[in-house]
Amino acid sequence: MTGTSDAPARRADWFVVSFLTLVVFAVAHRHGLASPFIVNDDTRQQLFWMARWLDPALYPSDLLTRYAAAYVPAGIKALYFLAAKGLGVGPLVFSKWLTGGLLLVLALAFFGLGATLEGRVLGYACAAMAWLMPFFLKNISGGLSRGFAAPLLALFLLAWMRRSGLGMAVILLLQAVFIPYIAALCAGCACLDAVFARIQGRPDAPFPVRPWHGLALFAAAGIVWSFDHTLTTSGFGPLVGHAALAAGPEFSAAGRLELYPLPNPFFDLVYWPFESIGLFLDIGLVAGIVSLVVLLPIVIIGARRAPWPALLAKCRPVGALLVGSLLLYILARIVALKLFVPDRYISYTINVVYALGLAVVLRYALADILKRPLSRVLLLLVAAALGAWRLTDVGLYDYRADAPLYAAVRELPKDALVAGNPELLDDVLTFGRRDVLASYELAHPWSVGYWERYYPRLAHQAAAYYAKDAGTVLEFAKAYGVTHMVVRDADLTGAAIARGPLFAPFDARIRELAAKPGKFVLLDAAKFPYTSPEPGVRLVDLRPLVAAADAARLDAGNPSSGN
């Protein structure tokens, strides 16, 4: 913040924002950048299979790898493919680089929005919102499809406010290949605004008004349709409907993901955004409430000082985007989940709107301080420092505890198939780089065709893991070609089973299995010899046991073979 309030942005300002954003990211995600085992949790369901581009022997074709590959949009796959083939960089490492790049794009887009609305001071205030609101980095972290939502939405809004039809068209196509539902949202909002501009006799909207704009729209629609069509024709779709959503225990609070009943819109529109604005997630409930109470008078002062007529005159695209998002959000709730999770259509828009609004009121609440150049510089540095603190490890999870297990699994043949506790198998799949039968993160009950094939795997795996007889385990291993079982002793305790070993509807069945007489057979070292890569974890090689069982059955079926 180094100029007069109405001064236009200079080239140096863009470099300052870029430099500070990269510093904020590097400090905030320093632990993730330093360790291969500190990553975003969803990388374990969407990126693991991409390691095949560095080592084709990894992850032989299987239901999980085929689904994960189909679930990832084409643009994401292209970026990671180029990183692997062109730079020799694995997916987990590249995901961290891409996270920083996406945060940079978001901060620059926010700066551009503020500079377009007023000037460089508001631009810096808007850019600071990318550092100070954890919502954005939380969703960007991992370099996944959803990580493109806020940056590309902000860029689309920036092109819209600058009346750049070309920019809107290009960004719409990028959205289609990276984050399809945001492309649908932005295309719908732009079209509605263009229609209402004609009805109201206003100047034409910047997009879509030219013939080639229609071609861009059709191209984007074709890309989005193709993505959904490919999932369905591959046998993984369609998305679950409202009736199944209401009837399935896997969609309840006790299930895989709490999707039904749908949350009160108050949570999507107010509660969760303000949870990110206040210090609720950083420190706790009391600190969150206190931070909002402290912020309130500042907001009131800034709101009273801000030149709203001049600002709102330039904000029609913001209003159109907000109205269109609300309409699509309502429609998505009505037909849930046919248009995917409803909050996806409002959460990014509402947080962008809150970020811009908060930047405006803070800029005018601090107007007197911002008149002094040194004060502007100091405030900018304070914002960056606070951002680095607030964003520390946001969107990251630490999986270092089981590093010895991952090392042991990596020593297995590359065509090994591992079974066990689905939650631990997420880590085995990603860091051990071996196929697993059924993991937790890839349990997606909202994909109907996929779930029909995945559900039996989870059920049979649970039956074997909590079995009281050796036959159940060996028959399971032979049926699915499982070569190894990872057993965590703590899973097979009364306390673990009582608090919920997996999710509904499997928990009830697991408790029934646990209630049967006898001990869990996988804890019997005489029947299931094992190695222990770390305390409390067993790695059981099932291949010789299955072979011995087959030989015993063969001998039993040929009693004369020993004569």
Side-chain angles (χ1 to χ4, degrees), residues 228-252:
D228 181 71
H229 182 69
T230 299
L231 272 174
T232 301
T233 55
S234 298
F236 300 133
L239 291 173
V240 69
H242 197 282
L245 191 66
E250 57 268 33
F251 302 111
S252 68

Side-chain angles (χ1 to χ4, degrees), residues 296-320:
L296 181 60
I298 301 174
V299 169
I300 293 173
I301 293 170
R304 294 181 64 180
R305 292 179 176 177
W308 292 114
L311 292 171
L312 293 177
K314 301 178 181 180
C315 282
R316 182 176 181 86
V318 178

Side-chain angles (χ1 to χ4, degrees), residues 386-539:
L386 286 175
W389 168 70
R390 282 210 79 183
L391 299 183
T392 293
D393 293 337
V394 165
L396 295 178
Y397 296 81
D398 190 345
Y399 300 103
R400 289 177 294 184
D402 292 309
L405 171 63
Y406 314 146
V409 171
R410 284 196 180 210
E411 295 300 318
L412 302 180
K414 292 181 180 179
D415 61 351
L417 181 60
V418 184
N421 181 317
E423 293 185 357
L424 186 56
L425 291 183
D426 286 319
D427 308 335
V428 168
L429 179 67
T430 305
F431 305 116
R433 288 187 163 190
R434 295 297 180 267
D435 267 331
V436 302
L437 184 70
S439 69
Y440 181 88
E441 287 289 338
L442 279 164
H444 288 187
W446 48 87
S447 296
V448 175
Y450 170 70
W451 187 241
E452 288 176 352
R453 287 182 278 173
Y454 198 75
Y455 183 96
R457 286 187 173 213
L458 276 173
H460 294 159
Q461 182 172 255
Y465 196 65
Y466 295 94
K468 300 294 180 71
D469 64 289
T472 298
V473 178
L474 298 178
E475 289 170 9
F476 158 78
K478 184 175 182 180
Y480 288 95
V482 172
T483 60
H484 295 79
M485 185 82 83
V486 174
V487 183
R488 188 164 54 192
D489 293 357
D491 295 337
L492 304 177
T493 62
I497 292 169
R499 66 173 174 262
L502 190 51
F503 59 85
F506 300 101
D507 285 349
R509 176 55 181 160
I510 290 171
R511 291 188 180 107
E512 289 178 6
L513 294 171
K516 290 183 177 180
K519 297 181 178 180
F520 294 111
V521 72
L522 285 172
L523 298 182
D524 187 336
K527 295 179 179 178
F528 290 94
Y530 64 92
T531 58
S532 184
E534 62 185 71
V537 174
R538 308 175 184 218
L539 183 58

Side-chain angles (χ1 to χ4, degrees), residues 251-271:
F251 302 111
S252 68
R256 167 64 177 87
L257 188 64
E258 187 177 0
L259 294 173
Y260 193 87
L262 295 173
N264 188 306
F266 170 79
F267 287 92
D268 290 328
L269 301 176
V270 179
Y271 182 86

